[in-house]
Amino acid sequence: MNIGKRKLFSINDEPLSLSSSPTKKRFLQFMPFNLKSSFVQSDICYLSQIPTEMRDLILLKLSPHELHQLASTSNEYFSIVLNFLRSSMGTPYLKYILETTPDRRRSGAWENLGRLYGLMTSLVPLLRRIQIIKDVLFTKLNLLGDGTSIEDLSHIGRFFGEATRHWSEREIAWAFSQLDSHIQLKKKIDRFYSCEHVGIETQFEHSIRFCFRLVYFDSIRLHAHRGCLLNVILYKQPIWFQARLIYLLFGPMSLNKIDWEKFSRDRTNFFIYPNVDEEQAYFDLSRAFNVLNRSVHAQKGWNSNSKLALLNELIAQPVPWKSEYVAELLFYCGRELLTNVLIAFAIKNYHKEYAQLINSLCIVARQRKAYYEIIQMAIDDSFERCTLIAQRNSIIIHLQNAFRCVTRNVIAVLASSTITQTDQLHYLQQLEALDAQKASLISFLLTNQFDQNN
């Protein structure tokens, strides 16, 4: 059939019909449809034609996420949602959205509200934005920011983290100074600076920790904003107090109080993995170090040397840490900081400390190949800083003594009459791994080549 011709469509009789009439054929007719221009106008906002009372009742039934989508549609809808939140229906809407009953849970309500207000305040000046956030949190919702209610602090942080998600670091730092009139974190930190001893006023220490962690850190998504806010409270403080404040904010807790002596106690067995609370403390402390150089606002004051000085002060708060705890924290902080610590020991001729740290790193590595590779690369970058042969020999001697001391302790445990067969096998494996690692490290220190078989 020729493509240029119109196709013919057949209309056949019913299959069961016995009629012998020929098949009828006709053309398929297309009816033209004329769209009127009034039906395709895209600039009409039908909500604006509804009375205000009815429109508010409609918006009252929408979730914050749906209001956010509606306000993002056009300028007209943006103005309608903004006027609704500013009206007398705004406060009842907030309380209704945040209301929780046994048969209804509001999952993510605070985050969605913060995201909505972040959009609604995006076109106003910074001071007006901060004032709107303060009015919502402390006037309309009557939240307590002084630390007396942990739940209120969590709500403030979840709202604040989403509302300021697209702000610059300068705006974040300014928002901290404006919100502090309600939270009073700076005032509490100044009082903590004057405390001669730690661990006495536990409730006061809890208040500082929760005010910062819940409002300005845990609910903040961007690492740059976290580093900016952490730098705000550390700025112009003495280095010893910066370290004490880091421990207060991110250190371990035990029995609902900050455990200031956790890392100075002897652990019965460093060959086993730390418990969940201890690992969480290492993770939190490492986050404090990692976010400092993620912020442009904080990079000017925190380079590798200043972070190394902060670590040296931290592992002495309030009493010196055991070397194994320091090794655990360095693995969490990353290879760069670990290497800088070994380089500092090598340059300052702290041979005993250098060897003890390597020994502790090998112990807490617990036969994990990736950790052994980190140790080897750190030694490769740091041992060359010792130019004198006598200094290298001194490190080797201290390293042998450190491994010998650990081996002696393991043998004493194996000689105990109460040890089980499973523990005995575990300690024998650890003893073999330590011996192999010692041989590999000393081989490198002498020949600059690692024994890959170990």
Short mmCIF file of all heavy atoms in Angstrom, two decimals, residues 387-449:
data_model
loop_
_atom_site.label_atom_id
_atom_site.label_comp_id
_atom_site.label_asym_id
_atom_site.label_seq_id
_atom_site.Cartn_x
_atom_site.Cartn_y
_atom_site.Cartn_z
N THR A 387 68.58 10.89 61.33
CA THR A 387 69.72 10.80 60.41
C THR A 387 70.90 10.06 61.01
O THR A 387 71.69 9.45 60.28
CB THR A 387 70.17 12.22 60.00
OG1 THR A 387 70.47 12.97 61.19
CG2 THR A 387 69.04 12.93 59.26
N LEU A 388 71.06 10.10 62.30
CA LEU A 388 72.22 9.48 62.93
C LEU A 388 71.97 7.99 63.14
O LEU A 388 70.88 7.57 63.52
CB LEU A 388 72.53 10.15 64.27
CG LEU A 388 72.86 11.66 64.20
CD1 LEU A 388 73.11 12.20 65.59
CD2 LEU A 388 74.07 11.90 63.29
N ILE A 389 72.99 7.21 62.89
CA ILE A 389 72.89 5.76 63.09
C ILE A 389 72.64 5.43 64.56
O ILE A 389 71.88 4.51 64.89
CB ILE A 389 74.17 5.06 62.59
CG1 ILE A 389 74.39 5.36 61.10
CG2 ILE A 389 74.09 3.56 62.82
CD1 ILE A 389 73.27 4.88 60.21
N ALA A 390 73.24 6.21 65.45
CA ALA A 390 73.06 5.95 66.88
C ALA A 390 71.61 6.13 67.29
O ALA A 390 71.09 5.39 68.12
CB ALA A 390 73.96 6.87 67.69
N GLN A 391 70.94 7.14 66.70
CA GLN A 391 69.53 7.35 67.02
C GLN A 391 68.67 6.19 66.53
O GLN A 391 67.77 5.73 67.22
CB GLN A 391 69.07 8.66 66.38
CG GLN A 391 69.74 9.91 66.96
CD GLN A 391 69.28 11.17 66.28
OE1 GLN A 391 68.54 11.13 65.31
NE2 GLN A 391 69.74 12.32 66.78
N ARG A 392 68.98 5.69 65.34
CA ARG A 392 68.20 4.56 64.82
C ARG A 392 68.42 3.32 65.67
O ARG A 392 67.47 2.57 65.95
CB ARG A 392 68.58 4.29 63.36
CG ARG A 392 68.29 5.46 62.44
CD ARG A 392 68.40 5.06 60.99
NE ARG A 392 68.01 6.17 60.11
CZ ARG A 392 67.77 6.04 58.81
NH1 ARG A 392 67.85 4.85 58.24
NH2 ARG A 392 67.43 7.08 58.08
N ASN A 393 69.65 3.10 66.08
CA ASN A 393 69.93 1.94 66.94
C ASN A 393 69.21 2.07 68.28
O ASN A 393 68.75 1.07 68.85
CB ASN A 393 71.43 1.80 67.15
CG ASN A 393 72.17 1.40 65.87
OD1 ASN A 393 71.56 0.83 64.96
ND2 ASN A 393 73.45 1.72 65.80
N SER A 394 69.11 3.29 68.79
CA SER A 394 68.41 3.50 70.06
C SER A 394 66.93 3.15 69.92
O SER A 394 66.34 2.53 70.81
CB SER A 394 68.58 4.95 70.51
OG SER A 394 67.83 5.20 71.68
N ILE A 395 66.33 3.54 68.79
CA ILE A 395 64.92 3.21 68.56
C ILE A 395 64.72 1.71 68.47
O ILE A 395 63.77 1.15 69.02
CB ILE A 395 64.42 3.92 67.29
CG1 ILE A 395 64.32 5.43 67.53
CG2 ILE A 395 63.05 3.38 66.86
CD1 ILE A 395 63.88 6.21 66.32
N ILE A 396 65.64 1.02 67.80
CA ILE A 396 65.53 -0.43 67.67
C ILE A 396 65.62 -1.10 69.03
O ILE A 396 64.86 -2.03 69.34
CB ILE A 396 66.61 -0.96 66.71
CG1 ILE A 396 66.35 -0.47 65.29
CG2 ILE A 396 66.67 -2.49 66.74
CD1 ILE A 396 67.45 -0.83 64.30
N ILE A 397 66.51 -0.62 69.87
CA ILE A 397 66.65 -1.19 71.22
C ILE A 397 65.37 -0.98 72.03
O ILE A 397 64.85 -1.91 72.68
CB ILE A 397 67.86 -0.58 71.93
CG1 ILE A 397 69.16 -1.01 71.23
CG2 ILE A 397 67.90 -0.99 73.40
CD1 ILE A 397 70.40 -0.31 71.77
N HIS A 398 64.84 0.23 71.99
CA HIS A 398 63.58 0.51 72.72
C HIS A 398 62.43 -0.32 72.15
O HIS A 398 61.55 -0.77 72.90
CB HIS A 398 63.25 1.99 72.64
CG HIS A 398 64.11 2.85 73.53
ND1 HIS A 398 64.08 2.76 74.91
CD2 HIS A 398 65.01 3.83 73.24
CE1 HIS A 398 64.91 3.65 75.43
NE2 HIS A 398 65.49 4.30 74.44
N LEU A 399 62.41 -0.50 70.84
CA LEU A 399 61.34 -1.29 70.24
C LEU A 399 61.43 -2.75 70.69
O LEU A 399 60.42 -3.38 71.01
CB LEU A 399 61.44 -1.20 68.71
CG LEU A 399 60.31 -1.85 67.91
CD1 LEU A 399 58.98 -1.20 68.24
CD2 LEU A 399 60.60 -1.75 66.42
N GLN A 400 62.62 -3.29 70.73
CA GLN A 400 62.79 -4.67 71.21
C GLN A 400 62.37 -4.80 72.68
O GLN A 400 61.71 -5.77 73.06
CB GLN A 400 64.24 -5.10 71.03
CG GLN A 400 64.65 -5.32 69.58
CD GLN A 400 66.13 -5.67 69.45
OE1 GLN A 400 66.94 -5.29 70.29
NE2 GLN A 400 66.48 -6.37 68.38
N ASN A 401 62.73 -3.81 73.48
CA ASN A 401 62.33 -3.85 74.90
C ASN A 401 60.82 -3.76 75.07
O ASN A 401 60.24 -4.43 75.92
CB ASN A 401 63.02 -2.70 75.66
CG ASN A 401 64.51 -2.88 75.76
OD1 ASN A 401 65.02 -4.01 75.71
ND2 ASN A 401 65.24 -1.78 75.89
N ALA A 402 60.18 -2.92 74.24
CA ALA A 402 58.72 -2.79 74.34
C ALA A 402 58.03 -4.09 73.96
O ALA A 402 57.12 -4.55 74.66
CB ALA A 402 58.25 -1.65 73.44
N PHE A 403 58.46 -4.73 72.88
CA PHE A 403 57.87 -6.01 72.50
C PHE A 403 58.17 -7.09 73.53
O PHE A 403 57.33 -7.95 73.81
CB PHE A 403 58.39 -6.44 71.13
CG PHE A 403 57.61 -5.87 69.97
CD1 PHE A 403 58.08 -4.78 69.27
CD2 PHE A 403 56.41 -6.43 69.60
CE1 PHE A 403 57.36 -4.25 68.21
CE2 PHE A 403 55.68 -5.92 68.54
CZ PHE A 403 56.16 -4.82 67.84
N ARG A 404 59.35 -7.02 74.10
CA ARG A 404 59.71 -8.02 75.12
C ARG A 404 58.83 -7.88 76.35
O ARG A 404 58.43 -8.88 76.97
CB ARG A 404 61.19 -7.86 75.49
CG ARG A 404 61.72 -9.00 76.38
CD ARG A 404 63.19 -8.81 76.72
NE ARG A 404 64.00 -8.82 75.52
CZ ARG A 404 64.66 -7.76 75.05
NH1 ARG A 404 64.58 -6.60 75.69
NH2 ARG A 404 65.39 -7.85 73.96
N CYS A 405 58.52 -6.66 76.72
CA CYS A 405 57.66 -6.43 77.89
C CYS A 405 56.25 -6.99 77.64
O CYS A 405 55.67 -7.65 78.50
CB CYS A 405 57.60 -4.95 78.20
SG CYS A 405 56.56 -4.52 79.60
N VAL A 406 55.71 -6.75 76.44
CA VAL A 406 54.38 -7.28 76.12
C VAL A 406 54.41 -8.79 76.07
O VAL A 406 53.50 -9.48 76.56
CB VAL A 406 53.89 -6.70 74.79
CG1 VAL A 406 52.56 -7.33 74.38
CG2 VAL A 406 53.74 -5.19 74.89
N THR A 407 55.46 -9.36 75.50
CA THR A 407 55.57 -10.82 75.43
C THR A 407 55.63 -11.42 76.82
O THR A 407 55.02 -12.47 77.09
CB THR A 407 56.82 -11.19 74.62
OG1 THR A 407 56.75 -10.60 73.32
CG2 THR A 407 56.93 -12.70 74.48
N ARG A 408 56.33 -10.77 77.72
CA ARG A 408 56.42 -11.28 79.09
C ARG A 408 55.05 -11.29 79.76
O ARG A 408 54.70 -12.25 80.48
CB ARG A 408 57.40 -10.40 79.89
CG ARG A 408 57.77 -10.98 81.26
CD ARG A 408 58.66 -10.03 82.04
NE ARG A 408 59.85 -9.70 81.30
CZ ARG A 408 60.15 -8.49 80.86
NH1 ARG A 408 59.29 -7.49 81.08
NH2 ARG A 408 61.26 -8.26 80.19
N ASN A 409 54.26 -10.26 79.52
CA ASN A 409 52.91 -10.22 80.10
C ASN A 409 52.01 -11.31 79.52
O ASN A 409 51.22 -11.93 80.24
CB ASN A 409 52.29 -8.85 79.85
CG ASN A 409 53.02 -7.74 80.57
OD1 ASN A 409 53.68 -7.98 81.60
ND2 ASN A 409 52.93 -6.53 80.06
N VAL A 410 52.13 -11.57 78.22
CA VAL A 410 51.31 -12.60 77.60
C VAL A 410 51.70 -13.98 78.13
O VAL A 410 50.84 -14.82 78.41
CB VAL A 410 51.45 -12.54 76.07
CG1 VAL A 410 50.71 -13.71 75.42
CG2 VAL A 410 50.91 -11.23 75.54
N ILE A 411 53.00 -14.21 78.29
CA ILE A 411 53.46 -15.49 78.82
C ILE A 411 52.97 -15.70 80.24
O ILE A 411 52.59 -16.81 80.65
CB ILE A 411 54.99 -15.59 78.73
CG1 ILE A 411 55.43 -15.63 77.26
CG2 ILE A 411 55.51 -16.81 79.48
CD1 ILE A 411 56.93 -15.61 77.07
N ALA A 412 52.93 -14.61 81.02
CA ALA A 412 52.42 -14.73 82.40
C ALA A 412 50.94 -15.11 82.40
O ALA A 412 50.49 -15.89 83.26
CB ALA A 412 52.63 -13.40 83.13
N VAL A 413 50.18 -14.58 81.46
CA VAL A 413 48.77 -14.96 81.37
C VAL A 413 48.63 -16.42 80.96
O VAL A 413 47.78 -17.17 81.47
CB VAL A 413 48.04 -14.04 80.38
CG1 VAL A 413 46.61 -14.50 80.17
CG2 VAL A 413 48.06 -12.60 80.87
N LEU A 414 49.48 -16.87 80.04
CA LEU A 414 49.41 -18.27 79.60
C LEU A 414 49.78 -19.24 80.71
O LEU A 414 49.31 -20.38 80.73
CB LEU A 414 50.34 -18.48 78.39
CG LEU A 414 49.92 -17.81 77.08
CD1 LEU A 414 51.01 -17.94 76.03
CD2 LEU A 414 48.64 -18.43 76.57
N ALA A 415 50.61 -18.79 81.64
CA ALA A 415 51.02 -19.66 82.75
C ALA A 415 49.98 -19.74 83.85
O ALA A 415 50.14 -20.52 84.80
CB ALA A 415 52.35 -19.16 83.32
N SER A 416 48.91 -18.92 83.72
CA SER A 416 47.89 -18.95 84.77
C SER A 416 47.13 -20.27 84.73
O SER A 416 46.89 -20.86 83.67
CB SER A 416 46.91 -17.78 84.56
OG SER A 416 45.85 -17.84 85.47
N SER A 417 46.74 -20.74 85.89
CA SER A 417 46.04 -22.02 86.01
C SER A 417 44.55 -21.90 85.70
O SER A 417 43.88 -22.91 85.47
CB SER A 417 46.22 -22.59 87.42
OG SER A 417 45.72 -21.68 88.39
N THR A 418 44.04 -20.66 85.65
CA THR A 418 42.60 -20.45 85.42
C THR A 418 42.26 -20.15 83.96
O THR A 418 41.10 -19.96 83.65
CB THR A 418 42.10 -19.29 86.29
OG1 THR A 418 42.84 -18.09 85.96
CG2 THR A 418 42.28 -19.60 87.77
N ILE A 419 43.25 -20.13 83.11
CA ILE A 419 42.99 -19.78 81.71
C ILE A 419 42.30 -20.94 81.00
O ILE A 419 42.61 -22.12 81.22
CB ILE A 419 44.31 -19.40 81.00
CG1 ILE A 419 44.01 -18.84 79.60
CG2 ILE A 419 45.25 -20.60 80.91
CD1 ILE A 419 45.24 -18.29 78.91
N THR A 420 41.34 -20.61 80.16
CA THR A 420 40.61 -21.64 79.42
C THR A 420 41.38 -22.02 78.16
O THR A 420 42.32 -21.33 77.74
CB THR A 420 39.22 -21.14 79.03
OG1 THR A 420 39.35 -19.99 78.17
CG2 THR A 420 38.43 -20.76 80.28
N GLN A 421 40.96 -23.11 77.55
CA GLN A 421 41.65 -23.57 76.35
C GLN A 421 41.44 -22.61 75.19
O GLN A 421 42.36 -22.38 74.40
CB GLN A 421 41.14 -24.97 75.98
CG GLN A 421 41.89 -25.60 74.80
CD GLN A 421 41.43 -27.02 74.52
OE1 GLN A 421 40.53 -27.52 75.20
NE2 GLN A 421 42.06 -27.67 73.56
N THR A 422 40.26 -22.02 75.10
CA THR A 422 40.00 -21.05 74.03
C THR A 422 40.87 -19.81 74.19
O THR A 422 41.46 -19.32 73.22
CB THR A 422 38.51 -20.66 74.03
OG1 THR A 422 37.71 -21.84 73.90
CG2 THR A 422 38.21 -19.71 72.88
N ASP A 423 40.95 -19.28 75.42
CA ASP A 423 41.80 -18.10 75.66
C ASP A 423 43.26 -18.43 75.44
O ASP A 423 44.03 -17.59 74.95
CB ASP A 423 41.58 -17.59 77.08
CG ASP A 423 40.20 -16.99 77.28
OD1 ASP A 423 39.57 -16.64 76.27
OD2 ASP A 423 39.74 -16.90 78.44
N GLN A 424 43.66 -19.63 75.80
CA GLN A 424 45.06 -20.01 75.59
C GLN A 424 45.41 -20.01 74.11
O GLN A 424 46.47 -19.50 73.71
CB GLN A 424 45.30 -21.39 76.19
CG GLN A 424 46.76 -21.84 76.13
CD GLN A 424 46.94 -23.22 76.75
OE1 GLN A 424 45.99 -23.94 76.98
NE2 GLN A 424 48.20 -23.58 77.02
N LEU A 425 44.52 -20.55 73.28
CA LEU A 425 44.76 -20.54 71.84
C LEU A 425 44.78 -19.12 71.30
O LEU A 425 45.62 -18.78 70.44
CB LEU A 425 43.67 -21.36 71.15
CG LEU A 425 43.74 -21.44 69.62
CD1 LEU A 425 45.05 -22.08 69.17
CD2 LEU A 425 42.55 -22.20 69.06
N HIS A 426 43.89 -18.25 71.81
CA HIS A 426 43.85 -16.87 71.36
C HIS A 426 45.15 -16.14 71.70
O HIS A 426 45.73 -15.44 70.85
CB HIS A 426 42.66 -16.16 72.01
CG HIS A 426 42.59 -14.68 71.71
ND1 HIS A 426 42.26 -14.20 70.47
CD2 HIS A 426 42.82 -13.61 72.50
CE1 HIS A 426 42.29 -12.87 70.50
NE2 HIS A 426 42.61 -12.49 71.72
N TYR A 427 45.65 -16.31 72.92
CA TYR A 427 46.88 -15.63 73.32
C TYR A 427 48.09 -16.16 72.56
O TYR A 427 49.03 -15.42 72.24
CB TYR A 427 47.09 -15.78 74.82
CG TYR A 427 46.30 -14.79 75.64
CD1 TYR A 427 45.15 -15.16 76.32
CD2 TYR A 427 46.71 -13.47 75.74
CE1 TYR A 427 44.43 -14.26 77.06
CE2 TYR A 427 46.00 -12.55 76.49
CZ TYR A 427 44.85 -12.95 77.14
OH TYR A 427 44.14 -12.03 77.89
N LEU A 428 48.11 -17.44 72.26
CA LEU A 428 49.21 -17.99 71.47
C LEU A 428 49.23 -17.40 70.06
O LEU A 428 50.29 -17.10 69.52
CB LEU A 428 49.10 -19.52 71.41
CG LEU A 428 49.45 -20.28 72.70
CD1 LEU A 428 49.13 -21.77 72.54
CD2 LEU A 428 50.92 -20.08 73.05
N GLN A 429 48.04 -17.21 69.48
CA GLN A 429 47.98 -16.58 68.16
C GLN A 429 48.45 -15.14 68.21
O GLN A 429 49.17 -14.67 67.31
CB GLN A 429 46.54 -16.66 67.64
CG GLN A 429 46.07 -18.06 67.30
CD GLN A 429 44.61 -18.09 66.90
OE1 GLN A 429 43.89 -17.10 67.06
NE2 GLN A 429 44.14 -19.23 66.38
N GLN A 430 48.05 -14.41 69.26
CA GLN A 430 48.51 -13.02 69.40
C GLN A 430 50.02 -12.96 69.62
O GLN A 430 50.69 -12.07 69.09
CB GLN A 430 47.78 -12.36 70.57
CG GLN A 430 46.28 -12.17 70.34
CD GLN A 430 46.00 -11.08 69.33
OE1 GLN A 430 46.90 -10.32 68.94
NE2 GLN A 430 44.77 -11.01 68.87
N LEU A 431 50.55 -13.88 70.37
CA LEU A 431 51.99 -13.90 70.63
C LEU A 431 52.75 -14.16 69.33
O LEU A 431 53.79 -13.54 69.06
CB LEU A 431 52.30 -14.98 71.66
CG LEU A 431 53.72 -14.99 72.25
CD1 LEU A 431 53.98 -13.69 73.00
CD2 LEU A 431 53.89 -16.18 73.17
N GLU A 432 52.24 -15.07 68.53
CA GLU A 432 52.88 -15.35 67.24
C GLU A 432 52.80 -14.15 66.31
O GLU A 432 53.76 -13.83 65.60
CB GLU A 432 52.20 -16.56 66.61
CG GLU A 432 52.81 -16.98 65.27
CD GLU A 432 52.09 -18.17 64.66
OE1 GLU A 432 51.13 -18.65 65.29
OE2 GLU A 432 52.49 -18.60 63.57
N ALA A 433 51.64 -13.48 66.30
CA ALA A 433 51.48 -12.31 65.43
C ALA A 433 52.41 -11.17 65.87
O ALA A 433 53.00 -10.49 65.03
CB ALA A 433 50.03 -11.85 65.45
N LEU A 434 52.54 -10.94 67.17
CA LEU A 434 53.43 -9.89 67.66
C LEU A 434 54.87 -10.18 67.31
O LEU A 434 55.64 -9.29 66.93
CB LEU A 434 53.26 -9.73 69.18
CG LEU A 434 52.02 -8.99 69.66
CD1 LEU A 434 51.93 -9.04 71.17
CD2 LEU A 434 52.02 -7.55 69.19
N ASP A 435 55.27 -11.44 67.44
CA ASP A 435 56.64 -11.80 67.12
C ASP A 435 56.93 -11.58 65.63
O ASP A 435 57.99 -11.07 65.26
CB ASP A 435 56.88 -13.27 67.50
CG ASP A 435 58.34 -13.67 67.32
OD1 ASP A 435 59.19 -13.08 68.01
OD2 ASP A 435 58.60 -14.55 66.49
N ALA A 436 55.96 -11.95 64.79
CA ALA A 436 56.14 -11.74 63.36
C ALA A 436 56.18 -10.26 63.01
O ALA A 436 56.98 -9.82 62.17
CB ALA A 436 55.01 -12.43 62.59
N GLN A 437 55.33 -9.47 63.66
CA GLN A 437 55.31 -8.03 63.38
C GLN A 437 56.59 -7.36 63.86
O GLN A 437 57.12 -6.48 63.19
CB GLN A 437 54.09 -7.38 64.05
CG GLN A 437 53.90 -5.92 63.71
CD GLN A 437 53.60 -5.71 62.24
OE1 GLN A 437 53.25 -6.64 61.52
NE2 GLN A 437 53.76 -4.49 61.76
N LYS A 438 57.10 -7.79 65.00
CA LYS A 438 58.37 -7.23 65.50
C LYS A 438 59.50 -7.54 64.52
O LYS A 438 60.31 -6.66 64.20
CB LYS A 438 58.68 -7.82 66.87
CG LYS A 438 59.98 -7.27 67.47
CD LYS A 438 60.36 -8.01 68.73
CE LYS A 438 60.80 -9.42 68.42
NZ LYS A 438 61.34 -10.11 69.63
N ALA A 439 59.55 -8.77 64.04
CA ALA A 439 60.59 -9.13 63.08
C ALA A 439 60.48 -8.31 61.80
O ALA A 439 61.48 -7.87 61.23
CB ALA A 439 60.51 -10.62 62.77
N SER A 440 59.24 -8.08 61.34
CA SER A 440 59.05 -7.30 60.12
C SER A 440 59.46 -5.85 60.31
O SER A 440 60.12 -5.25 59.45
CB SER A 440 57.58 -7.37 59.70
OG SER A 440 57.34 -6.57 58.56
N LEU A 441 59.11 -5.26 61.46
CA LEU A 441 59.45 -3.85 61.70
C LEU A 441 60.96 -3.66 61.85
O LEU A 441 61.55 -2.75 61.28
CB LEU A 441 58.73 -3.36 62.95
CG LEU A 441 57.22 -3.18 62.83
CD1 LEU A 441 56.61 -2.82 64.17
CD2 LEU A 441 56.88 -2.11 61.81
N ILE A 442 61.58 -4.53 62.62
CA ILE A 442 63.04 -4.39 62.82
C ILE A 442 63.78 -4.65 61.51
O ILE A 442 64.78 -4.01 61.20
CB ILE A 442 63.50 -5.35 63.93
CG1 ILE A 442 62.90 -4.90 65.27
CG2 ILE A 442 65.02 -5.38 64.02
CD1 ILE A 442 63.28 -5.77 66.44
N SER A 443 63.26 -5.58 60.70
CA SER A 443 63.86 -5.82 59.39
C SER A 443 63.79 -4.56 58.53
O SER A 443 64.75 -4.23 57.83
CB SER A 443 63.15 -6.98 58.70
OG SER A 443 63.61 -7.12 57.37
N PHE A 444 62.69 -3.85 58.60
CA PHE A 444 62.59 -2.62 57.83
C PHE A 444 63.53 -1.55 58.37
O PHE A 444 64.18 -0.83 57.60
CB PHE A 444 61.16 -2.10 57.86
CG PHE A 444 61.03 -0.69 57.35
CD1 PHE A 444 61.11 -0.42 56.00
CD2 PHE A 444 60.87 0.37 58.23
CE1 PHE A 444 61.00 0.88 55.53
CE2 PHE A 444 60.76 1.66 57.76
CZ PHE A 444 60.83 1.92 56.41
N LEU A 445 63.61 -1.43 59.68
CA LEU A 445 64.46 -0.40 60.26
C LEU A 445 65.93 -0.64 59.91
O LEU A 445 66.72 0.30 59.87
CB LEU A 445 64.29 -0.38 61.78
CG LEU A 445 62.89 0.04 62.28
CD1 LEU A 445 62.83 -0.03 63.80
CD2 LEU A 445 62.52 1.42 61.80
N LEU A 446 66.28 -1.88 59.63
CA LEU A 446 67.68 -2.20 59.31
C LEU A 446 67.95 -2.21 57.80
O LEU A 446 69.04 -1.85 57.36
CB LEU A 446 68.06 -3.55 59.90
CG LEU A 446 68.06 -3.63 61.44
CD1 LEU A 446 68.35 -5.04 61.90
CD2 LEU A 446 69.08 -2.67 62.04
N THR A 447 66.95 -2.63 57.01
CA THR A 447 67.19 -2.82 55.58
C THR A 447 66.27 -1.99 54.70
O THR A 447 66.40 -2.02 53.47
CB THR A 447 67.00 -4.30 55.21
OG1 THR A 447 65.64 -4.67 55.45
CG2 THR A 447 67.91 -5.19 56.03
N ASN A 448 65.30 -1.29 55.30
CA ASN A 448 64.32 -0.52 54.56
C ASN A 448 63.44 -1.39 53.66
O ASN A 448 62.91 -0.93 52.67
CB ASN A 448 64.97 0.57 53.70
CG ASN A 448 65.49 1.72 54.53
OD1 ASN A 448 65.13 1.85 55.69
ND2 ASN A 448 66.35 2.54 53.95
N GLN A 449 63.26 -2.64 54.02
CA GLN A 449 62.39 -3.55 53.27
C GLN A 449 61.57 -4.35 54.26
O GLN A 449 62.11 -4.95 55.19
CB GLN A 449 63.19 -4.51 52.39
CG GLN A 449 63.88 -3.83 51.21
CD GLN A 449 64.62 -4.84 50.35
OE1 GLN A 449 64.72 -6.01 50.68
NE2 GLN A 449 65.15 -4.35 49.23
#
